[in-house]
Amino acid sequence: MSRATEAPARAEALRQRLEQWNHEYYVLDQPTVTDAEYDGALRELQELEADHPELQRPDSPTQRVGGAPLTAFAEVRHDMPMLSLENAFDDEELARFHARVIERLGADDPDIEYVCEPKLDGVAVSVLYENGSLVRAATRGDGSTGEDITLNVRTVRSVPLRLRGDGYPGRLEVRGEIYMLHSSFESLNALARARGDKPFVNPRNAAAGSLRQLDPRVTATRPLQMCCYGVGHVDNGALPDTHEKIMRRLADWGLRVSTESATVRGIEGCLAYYRELAARRDGLPYDIDGIVYKVNDLALRDTLGFVSRAPRWAIARKFPAQEAITRLLDVEFQVGRTGAITPVARLAPVFVGGVTVSNATLHNFNEITRLNVQIGDIVIVRRAGDVIPQVVSVREKAPEGAGVEVVLPDACPACESPVEREEGGAILRCLGGLVCPAQRKAAIRHFASRRAMDIDGLGERLVDQLVDAGLLNTVADLYGLRREQLLALDRMGEKSADNLLAALEASKATTLARFLFALGVREVGEATARSLASHFGNWQDLSAADEERLREVDDVGPVVADHLRQFFDSPSAMMVVSQLRQAGVHWPEHAAVSRADAAEAGPLSGQTWVVTGKLERLTRDEATAALQSLGARVSGSVSAKTSVLVAGPGAGSKLARAETLGVMVIDESALLSRLRDEGVAC
């Protein structure tokens, strides 16, 4: 298979992986990979999209920040997106950032002023003051929409309920990090152990868990702090013209700001600050995972602007991942939803990155070969604020004759079904399908997830119980669960059982895109499922399509088309689909409309549109669907064939490319006007 053929499948796989990791880290507060692993995957996807512009899509993790909020709290839409920062991992990358700043500003003097601040390892929040009074607090969420945690933040004593002094704007959004001191964390865990409760993993998880309490009285007992690092939306008033002065003004108004912050000049000042703070890192009373550098002058920031997911005037210089040395005791194998078998290192417990570690990822079998690792070796384990660390190298081989080779299993460790090693040798896969209980559990959890069938209350432990009790063999069995079966399970009360049955009933009304995504076809993520549903319109035409017709759909290449056709040709898979529909799972359908037919029928026939930046009235999906209903082709990248670019705030490289190519550029207001003129409700 050629590199060009592999690129679409690899990009889609990376998108799905990054979205899952975003969800685990930002929404569930349960990260499963290291920062290094996430950053590596994101960089690989960025490089793929740069090399293959046709792979760029509006819903790519490179174009977005982060993950989506939970529904336990009311949703809050940020007036100004809470963007993430680009990362630098060494002095050279920081120097390249500085050079880009100087180049874009056309500055003759390289000694531009930067504000340097410790990058606190906590939870990013937005706190809104109106006429000096705290009226709302929200989590960062996906950057555009967060969760309303006002009642909980009001219990944080370092957050003033009313600003001190005067001169503040009528509407002031303050942004900062809520975190927990080391001493407070240890006291909280000591109390938990005394009560027989499970202690928190690290201070960040303790802060996140405390903020996510539905009962604010519980949050009030937790020793949380807030440190401000900037402002968002400001109305009815003005702020100073530099970041340093704004921070001083916030301090005057009673808000906590970092005492470690410093203003320096040029790259040498940035590097000196890094060395000084890195030397004191372990002695700080709180966790930090790097340093944030920001251009001090706000006017210069306006000139530098933004790319789609980050400002051009700031960067986070990450500290090296924390490492420790321990012995590899064993290697076990875990089976995922698609049957992929992953090696997991069992380690002699070691304290690293703030927690005691006994498990680490070995990624895949190629990695085992690359490391030349054996059971009994002394290995280096790296962890940087994440729950699951990784084995990065062998420090010392086991004594001759004492090391045990890691042998690939010749059968699935969960069901003893045959296994096959995929081309390239990195992934070993169980062929047991739904016969395999590990795949079955993972498939059911995916089916019930929020972005799939959205079955509230069907968590991992409950799925394990239901499968182990023999109540679930396929996802279709979910809709046959009875109240008495649920009540017989451990820790299942009447209210929980009734809520789950109600959630199952509510989930039956879905969309074709959600249903297809929920089925867990390999390489078919949310965006691909939406494209397929939009193109075919109904299940009958979709499931009957051959690979050539499937490849007519945007985002569907030969690999995805093959996976889809294998799924549709599987009698057992189609039996599950039939059972689901007989159980009442349904969605609105319409006749299949080919791309050509849609183009001929609509007023935007033959036109290619691109949507970028932040839209305020419409979501990207809504804008895409509206344009497609008028016959337009909606692409993820700008080219000479692009007819119109819809650019919202934060539009970056796509806007610049459109201007270079002379492509028409409109804002969201013009888009809404055009849609209304064509009779599209919006």
Side-chain angles (χ1 to χ4, degrees):
M1 185 180 293
S2 70
R3 187 175 183 85
T5 303
E6 292 175 340
R10 180 58 179 165
E12 179 59 23
L14 287 168
R15 290 188 195 103
Q16 291 188 37
R17 190 178 304 169
L18 288 163
E19 285 293 342
Q20 177 64 21
W21 291 345
N22 278 337
H23 179 71
E24 292 164 348
Y25 189 94
Y26 292 105
V27 179
L28 300 180
D29 301 312
Q30 297 172 354
T32 59
V33 295
T34 64
D35 281 350
E37 188 171 0
Y38 181 94
D39 292 328
L42 183 61
R43 285 189 171 197
E44 183 181 352
L45 181 57
Q46 289 170 331
E47 290 170 0
L48 272 174
E49 292 180 346
D51 292 340
H52 303 275
E54 72 277 9
L55 297 180
Q56 294 179 2
R57 297 197 332 225
D59 62 346
S60 172
T62 62
Q63 305 299 311
R64 65 177 293 234
V65 184
L70 292 173
T71 57
F73 297 90
E75 291 187 351
V76 171
R77 192 169 186 82
H78 299 300
D79 292 329
M80 182 184 296
M82 295 183 71
L83 300 179
S84 64
L85 297 176
E86 296 290 349
N87 292 321
F89 295 91
D90 54 39
D91 291 351
E92 290 182 2
E93 290 188 345
L94 185 62
R96 286 198 291 271
F97 161 77
H98 173 66
R100 290 194 300 270
V101 168
I102 298 302
E103 180 181 0
R104 290 191 176 105
L105 292 175
D108 295 326
D109 182 4
D111 287 337
I112 187 172
E113 275 194 344
Y114 292 99
V115 175
C116 313
E117 299 169 339
K119 188 174 182 295
L120 291 167
D121 194 12
V123 181
V125 297
S126 160
V127 181
L128 180 64
Y129 290 89
E130 290 185 352
N131 298 320
S133 294
L134 190 158
V135 296
R136 190 188 73 198
T139 61
R140 178 169 174 259
D142 65 359
S144 298
T145 305
E147 297 168 333
D148 190 333
I149 53 169
T150 307
L151 295 178
N152 289 347
V153 169
R154 288 177 67 89
T155 70
V156 180
R157 294 184 178 273
S158 57
V159 178
L161 300 180
R162 183 168 182 82
L163 299 178
R164 296 168 61 89
D166 54 26
Y168 39 78
R171 184 177 173 88
L172 171 67
E173 180 197 356
V174 179
R175 293 176 174 180
E177 201 86 0
I178 288 185
Y179 62 103
M180 195 174 288
L181 297 174
H182 292 155
S183 56
S184 301
F185 172 72
E186 293 299 334
S187 298
L188 183 64
N189 269 353
L191 183 60
R193 294 187 188 98
R195 292 175 174 171
D197 296 335
K198 182 179 178 180
F200 288 98
V201 175
N202 54 43
R204 183 194 180 278
N205 277 20
S210 300
L211 279 179
R212 301 179 59 103
Q213 296 292 322
L214 293 177
D215 185 351
R217 291 173 297 183
V218 176
T219 307
T221 66
R222 304 288 172 80
L224 298 174
Q225 307 258 12
M226 178 176 168
C227 182
C228 302
Y229 57 68
V231 296
H233 186 72
V234 177
D235 249 344
N236 300 323
L239 291 174
D241 57 0
T242 69
H243 181 81
E244 180 184 22
K245 293 176 183 177
I246 290 174
M247 291 298 100
R248 286 205 297 263
R249 190 68 57 85
L250 293 181
D252 291 340
W253 293 331
L255 292 152
R256 182 191 297 274
V257 299
S258 176
T259 58
E260 298 288 346
S261 176
T263 302
V264 303
R265 297 192 68 87
I267 186 62
E268 290 304 322
C270 293
L271 294 174
Y273 181 90
Y274 176 85
R275 290 190 291 268
E276 191 272 336
L277 192 62
R280 295 192 294 110
R281 178 189 181 188
D282 291 340
L284 294 175
Y286 42 75
D287 284 344
I288 63 173
D289 57 7
I291 293 167
V292 177
Y293 299 96
K294 304 173 183 176
V295 171
N296 190 26
D297 190 306
L298 269 59
L300 297 183
R301 290 187 184 182
D302 290 340
T303 300
L304 291 166
F306 299 80
V307 292
S308 59
R309 64 184 294 271
R312 286 195 176 104
W313 43 263
I315 196 167
R317 169 70 157 95
K318 304 297 284 291
F319 285 126
Q322 294 172 304
E323 298 178 342
I325 300 172
T326 187
R327 186 178 297 278
L328 178 62
L329 301 179
D330 199 2
V331 175
E332 297 179 0
F333 301 95
Q334 294 180 347
V335 185
R337 173 174 60 86
T338 63
I341 300 173
T342 304
V344 177
R346 304 303 184 197
L347 308 167
V350 62
F351 193 77
V352 55
V355 300
T356 299
V357 167
S358 56
N359 302 320
T361 180
L362 283 165
H363 299 295
N364 55 50
F365 297 103
N366 284 355
E367 183 72 357
I368 291 175
T369 301
R370 186 189 71 79
L371 293 172
N372 187 27
V373 65
Q374 290 185 318
I375 296 168
D377 288 351
I378 302 298
V379 297
I380 295 177
V381 182
R382 177 180 297 158
R383 184 181 186 278
D386 300 298
V387 172
I388 298 181
Q390 60 180 326
V391 176
V392 293
S393 64
V394 174
R395 175 67 177 269
E396 180 183 334
K397 297 297 293 182
E400 187 173 352
V404 178
E405 183 182 357
V406 180
V407 179
L408 277 63
D410 54 12
C412 174
C415 69
E416 299 186 354
S417 293
V419 297
E420 69 174 5
R421 194 165 183 175
E422 294 186 350
E423 185 178 354
I427 297 177
L428 194 69
R429 198 175 299 276
C430 167
L431 301 179
L434 291 178
V435 172
C436 178
Q439 291 185 64
R440 191 181 312 148
K441 291 176 180 178
I444 292 169
R445 288 196 294 270
H446 172 77
F447 183 85
S449 63
R450 183 169 181 258
R451 292 182 175 181
M453 298 300 287
D454 193 16
I455 305 173
D456 191 31
L458 192 62
E460 181 175 351
R461 291 183 181 179
L462 182 54
V463 170
D464 288 347
Q465 280 197 76
L466 290 166
V467 173
D468 293 343
L471 297 176
L472 295 182
N473 290 308
T474 73
V475 293
D477 294 333
L478 285 166
Y479 296 99
L481 290 172
R482 301 190 305 276
R483 191 171 188 267
E484 58 269 23
Q485 292 175 320
L486 296 175
L487 292 175
L489 300 174
D490 291 340
R491 300 183 179 181
M492 176 62 73
E494 293 186 359
K495 184 175 181 180
S496 296
D498 291 340
N499 287 343
L500 177 58
L501 291 173
L504 284 164
E505 187 63 31
S507 73
K508 292 180 181 179
T510 186
T511 65
L512 178 56
R514 277 179 170 266
F515 180 74
L516 181 58
F517 174 61
L519 292 175
V521 182
R522 284 177 60 191
E523 309 291 354
V524 176
E526 286 182 271
T528 302
R530 285 195 296 268
S531 295
L532 287 161
S534 175
H535 183 88
F536 288 99
N538 62 82
W539 176 263
Q540 181 177 354
D541 290 341
L542 170 59
S543 60
D546 58 23
E547 289 190 34
E548 184 177 353
R549 284 197 64 203
L550 290 169
R551 290 175 62 179
E552 292 176 2
V553 180
D554 291 338
D555 307 324
V556 176
V559 174
V560 176
D562 179 59
H563 289 324
L564 283 163
R565 199 57 262 160
Q566 287 186 42
F567 183 87
F568 296 142
D569 289 339
S570 166
S572 59
M574 291 301 96
M575 176 64 73
V576 171
V577 171
S578 176
Q579 291 170 343
L580 287 167
R581 303 198 74 172
Q582 289 173 14
V585 175
H586 63 281
W587 53 85
E589 294 191 341
H590 55 79
V593 179
S594 71
R595 188 183 300 165
D597 289 342
E600 290 177 4
L604 302 185
S605 61
Q607 297 185 22
T608 298
W609 288 55
V610 176
V611 182
T612 189
K614 175 64 190 166
L615 302 184
E616 301 297 331
R617 292 280 303 279
L618 299 173
T619 65
R620 293 273 189 91
D621 288 345
E622 289 169 344
T624 297
L627 290 167
Q628 289 174 336
S629 73
L630 298 175
R633 177 181 182 271
V634 181
S635 174
S637 59
V638 175
S639 70
K641 296 181 180 179
T642 302
S643 307
V644 181
L645 173 72
V646 181
S653 59
K654 292 178 184 177
L655 176 59
R657 180 164 174 76
E659 291 171 342
T660 300
L661 294 172
V663 172
M664 178 186 292
V665 178
I666 65 173
D667 61 14
E668 185 180 13
S669 296
L671 171 64
L672 291 169
S673 178
R674 178 66 182 271
L675 294 176
R676 283 192 291 267
D677 289 345
E678 299 294 350
V680 177
C682 53

